[in-house]
Amino acid sequence: MSLARMIQSAMVWLVASFYGSIMLVIMTLSAIRRGPRAFFGYKVRQDRPKCLDDPDLGTHGYVRLESSGLRFHYVAAGERDKPLMLCLHGFPECWYSWRHQLKEFRNSYRVVAPDLRGYGETESPQPFGYRGWPNFSMPHLTNDVRELIAALGYSSCTLVAHDWGGMVAWNFAIDHPDLVDKLIVMNIPHPGIFAKYLTTHFSQFRRSWYMFLFQLPWLPETLVKSFDFEMITDTFKGKEMGCRCSDAITDEDIEAFKYTFARPGANISGAINYYRASRKTPPRSYRGMKVTCPTLMIWGDQDGALEVGLTEGTDKFVPDFTLKVVPGASHWVQQDQPEVVIGIMRDWLKE
């Protein structure tokens, strides 16, 4: 490991420890105020929310990938002879975050929304827990997409992605340009922009506190599960991060996302290990990070986690680039204002 890399790792751990100390105090005070039983009293959800089995969203399927041996779960809508639209979700979500797109584009595409590695009904590689972070490095994640496309019977796709799924999609489009016909990313910057922006904009550095906190062992898992996964409720409906349209996320939708992490046998560490692996593996070089396929970026300008400024400079990496900002939409743009996002997608895909 180079000296620069050692210094960077030390700084990440220093910042992570700082936020971890603050969060420990907050969690302890919350446990005292509301009671230890409430703090640790999350429930394992035996029954699936009915919305996850809505036949209008498509049919459930499973495929086992060759290299990893992991069984992937997905929901697919549309005829098999139509071109593939592959939709990758973010954190803390699952395939269900694409429910509006599954219904809308099924007439033109074979729309497939998988649970990513370690999420929902898709298996998580062993070892579980903090020690399993090496299995969530970007090469593993992009290879999952490559094998998924082939396992579904296609040679390429229109790739649609949001948040962490968007980061996987960016890297996949860079490494496998022949497998991506068109790319649509939502509220996630190009990887060549994010690291530099983080170090030059303190406001974004402050917003990214959770990315550093998630580097620590066991504490992030405890935080996410505390008060029966209250963090998930706050994420989608809270003042800072939540959807701006009050009726965008229903109580049943919240239960669907909680079920992802609280179903029998669920492993919350898998989702958190995406963040751990991103900070523990060397960053890729800025060279050779061009995306050659036509690319649409959709960005909700009320994102509580990622600033709109992260969109600037994307055209340096993407020659055929279109940016559409959705006023008044949160980080969860495709769920917050689905009609607007679908309209943008439809018009751009026609072009």
Side-chain angles (χ1 to χ4, degrees):
M1 182 183 293
S2 66
L3 178 60
R5 182 63 182 162
M6 291 174 63
I7 294 174
Q8 182 183 21
S9 297
M11 290 299 296
V12 168
W13 272 103
L14 181 63
V15 176
S17 299
F18 170 74
Y19 284 122
S21 299
I22 294 176
M23 192 54 60
L24 268 175
V25 173
I26 294 174
M27 292 165 63
T28 301
L29 293 176
S30 297
I32 293 173
R33 181 169 56 88
R34 299 170 61 178
R37 179 174 296 181
F39 182 86
F40 294 104
Y42 74 91
K43 63 181 180 180
V44 176
R45 285 158 168 79
Q46 300 289 342
D47 299 323
R48 292 165 57 88
K50 292 182 179 180
C51 61
L52 293 178
D53 294 317
D54 183 353
D56 290 339
L57 300 182
T59 58
H60 294 257
Y62 300 86
V63 62
R64 191 169 297 278
L65 302 190
E66 184 176 351
S67 63
S68 66
L70 297 178
R71 190 181 77 153
F72 270 68
H73 165 255
Y74 64 88
V75 172
E79 300 300 326
R80 294 179 182 272
D81 60 349
K82 297 183 182 300
L84 175 64
M85 175 182 283
L86 187 63
C87 302
L88 310 180
H89 66 80
F91 173 89
E93 300 172 279
C94 64
W95 70 267
Y96 185 71
S97 62
W98 299 109
R99 57 195 177 279
H100 304 291
Q101 287 70 29
L102 281 162
K103 289 192 289 187
E104 176 64 29
F105 291 103
R106 64 190 306 162
N107 292 327
S108 303
Y109 293 88
R110 172 74 167 172
V111 189
V112 177
D115 284 331
L116 297 183
R117 169 184 294 227
Y119 279 86
E121 295 182 60
T122 291
E123 293 177 340
S124 184
Q126 295 185 16
F128 300 140
Y130 176 82
R131 292 187 301 113
W133 69 261
N135 290 316
F136 293 86
S137 65
M138 190 56 67
H140 287 298
L141 304 178
T142 54
N143 189 65
D144 286 344
V145 178
R146 182 184 66 82
E147 291 197 36
L148 265 173
I149 293 172
L152 293 169
Y154 290 85
S155 58
S156 65
C157 70
T158 292
L159 192 57
V160 182
H162 168 255
D163 187 73
W164 249 110
M167 188 56 68
V168 176
W170 276 122
N171 283 275
F172 184 78
I174 293 168
D175 294 336
H176 302 282
D178 55 319
L179 300 182
V180 184
D181 302 319
K182 293 183 178 181
L183 175 65
I184 301 176
V185 290
M186 304 180 190
N187 280 74
I188 191 70
H190 184 282
I193 292 175
F194 185 60
K196 183 178 180 180
Y197 192 94
L198 191 66
T199 58
T200 56
H201 293 75
F202 182 72
S203 56
Q204 180 59 58
F205 183 87
R206 190 174 61 247
R207 290 189 186 197
S208 302
W209 65 271
Y210 62 94
M211 298 182 187
F212 294 97
L213 176 70
F214 283 4
Q215 302 307 306
L216 300 175
W218 72 263
L219 184 62
E221 284 86 341
T222 304
L223 172 64
V224 173
K225 292 188 289 186
S226 64
F227 301 110
D228 194 29
F229 294 90
E230 188 174 70
M231 189 208 77
I232 293 180
T233 303
D234 292 340
T235 295
F236 291 106
K237 305 193 78 169
K239 183 178 180 180
E240 182 177 352
M241 274 292 295
C243 291
R244 297 302 183 257
C245 296
S246 58
D247 59 347
I249 301 285
T250 67
D251 291 341
E252 189 176 24
D253 296 335
I254 294 295
E255 275 301 305
F257 292 124
K258 287 186 178 183
Y259 179 80
T260 297
F261 303 107
R263 58 189 292 272
N267 172 33
I268 183 65
S269 294
I272 297 173
N273 279 339
Y274 281 66
Y275 292 92
R276 290 167 175 153
S278 70
R279 292 296 169 188
K280 295 180 187 296
T281 53
R284 63 189 301 168
S285 170
Y286 287 133
R287 296 181 179 179
M289 296 185 73
K290 292 279 187 180
V291 174
T292 56
C293 67
T295 301
L296 168 66
M297 175 183 281
I298 301 175
W299 202 282
D301 70 351
Q302 297 301 305
D303 192 327
L306 300 171
E307 297 179 354
V308 181
L310 285 161
T311 63
E312 298 173 4
T314 307
D315 55 343
K316 296 178 181 178
F317 297 96
V318 190
D320 191 348
F321 176 66
T322 302
L323 171 65
K324 296 292 183 180
V325 176
V326 181
S330 66
H331 179 74
W332 321 104
V333 60
Q334 82 274 30
Q335 300 181 76
D336 203 351
Q337 295 193 28
E339 294 84 3
V340 174
V341 170
I342 285 171
I344 293 172
M345 292 175 62
R346 187 190 304 113
D347 292 343
W348 183 79
L349 288 168
K350 286 181 180 178
E351 292 177 6

